[in-house]
Amino acid sequence: MLQVIYSEEFLDHQTGSYHPENPARLTAIVNALKAASFADKITWKIPTPITSKPFLMSCVESVHTKTYINKVKAIASSGGGYLDGDTPISPRSYDVALLAVSAWLDGVDTVLNTDDSAFVLARPPGHHAVSSTGMGFCLFSNAAIAAFYALQQPGIKRVAILDWDVHHGNGTEAIVETHSEIAYCSLHQYPAYPGTGKSSQQGSHHNVLNLPIPPGSDITVYQPLWERNILPFLTNFQPDLLIVSAGYDGNANDPLASMNLQPADFGLFTEYCLGITRKIVFGLEGGYDLPSLAESVIATIQPCIR
């Protein structure tokens, strides 16, 4: 069985009719998973309510400044607004973003308790959010918060974050790059938003691996990078837990990037990850073409079913 952590409350983060990061993304994935051939092998879990997790705010504050957290809360409380031109906040966005963090933490707990993988189907995404502000559709840095939380759990000394979203996770990297017990690896289109992620950026402890990839690349470009760079990097780090920032905007049909991956390619990505560890928390980041997004999540999860 594989656990999918999801709540309809994630649909309450309203971004506007024409915003690519919208509730329909989750609806498309949920419908596809419920119709999948392995649907009976999925356990659906509602994330722990934010009021039932007293340590939740301390986890968020371990990554984000109180000034920024209060800003998000204030914008939501006042009826909504924008952090920047791409990043809207609606009246429920603050609570929903906290629930997304809770879901990622539940993902960590699930994986550590079962030694199996879990998929966190939550929004808003997080990998562009830095300590002092959100950006690029992201409010709180879910993957980084989950990594720090995992390191507080018994037996967890090293956590790796793999970011296969087509955009570089500038927020995640900025937050974790000085921590030797966290490794961060990103493969991303370059040049592209947000303009970071050069291969020369290697972290304070050589714990960062950035693999910028030219527009138009397909699996024939990605596969050698996995085998020659990513797998040795992650295997040598020997993580006790792997967190995947699972973005699907590298698909050929995606409107926000220029890569040529196919949904089935993400199944290969998962197989590579399972060769490192079965303790994997997948968490949704980008992906904006609804059919290829849903197909890609199916492909990601299928190799984990046993």
Side-chain angles (χ1 to χ4, degrees), residues 32-266:
L33 287 175
K34 290 187 175 179
S37 60
F38 52 82
D40 61 333
K41 301 280 183 25
I42 294 175
T43 301
W44 293 83
K45 174 181 169 59
I46 297 173
T48 305
I50 59 177
T51 53
S52 300
K53 194 169 278 184
F55 56 85
L56 180 64
M57 286 311 303
S58 65
C59 291
V60 178
E61 290 170 1
S62 71
V63 165
H64 294 289
T65 65
K66 289 185 179 181
T67 299
Y68 169 59
I69 296 167
N70 290 334
K71 180 180 180 180
V72 175
K73 184 176 182 179
I75 294 174
S77 298
S78 66
Y82 282 81
L83 282 175
D84 62 21
D86 293 326
T87 313
I89 294 176
S90 65
R92 287 223 61 221
S93 293
Y94 174 73
D95 287 340
V96 174
L98 288 179
L99 188 65
V101 173
S102 181
W104 282 68
L105 302 190
D106 285 347
V108 171
D109 289 338
T110 296
V111 170
L112 297 186
N113 289 334
T114 65
D115 288 339
D116 259 327
S117 303
F119 197 103
V120 182
L121 188 53
R123 55 185 291 274
H127 72 153
H128 293 310
V130 297
S131 293
S132 59
T133 192
M135 64 180 76
F137 312 165
C138 300
L139 296 186
F140 297 139
S141 191
N142 302 314
I145 296 169
F148 285 118
Y149 171 74
L151 288 169
Q152 299 173 18
Q153 309 311 308
I156 304 302
K157 296 180 179 179
R158 290 178 301 279
V159 176
I161 301 173
L162 171 64
D163 191 332
W164 70 44
D165 189 280
V166 81
H167 301 102
H168 177 244
N170 59 303
T172 308
E173 180 180 313
I175 291 164
V176 308
E177 64 180 347
T178 60
H179 295 270
S180 62
E181 66 273 30
I182 302 176
Y184 176 74
C185 175
S186 174
L187 54 168
H188 48 270
Q189 180 179 314
Y190 192 88
Y193 180 91
T196 53
K198 295 180 180 179
S199 57
S200 57
Q201 297 171 282
Q202 298 179 353
S204 302
H205 306 276
H206 295 284
N207 56 323
V208 171
L209 175 64
N210 280 313
L211 297 169
I213 305 173
S217 298
D218 61 13
I219 192 62
T220 64
V221 176
Y222 277 78
Q223 194 164 1
L225 292 175
W226 273 94
E227 294 176 1
R228 298 173 189 168
N229 302 90
I230 298 170
L231 292 178
F233 175 76
L234 293 177
T235 300
N236 290 339
F237 186 72
Q238 297 182 310
D240 300 306
L241 176 72
L242 176 60
I243 295 172
V244 176
S245 279
Y248 299 99
D249 30 13
N251 271 304
N253 291 336
D254 199 275
L256 297 191
S258 305
M259 290 303 197
N260 283 312
L261 290 174
Q262 301 300 318
D265 296 334
F266 292 96

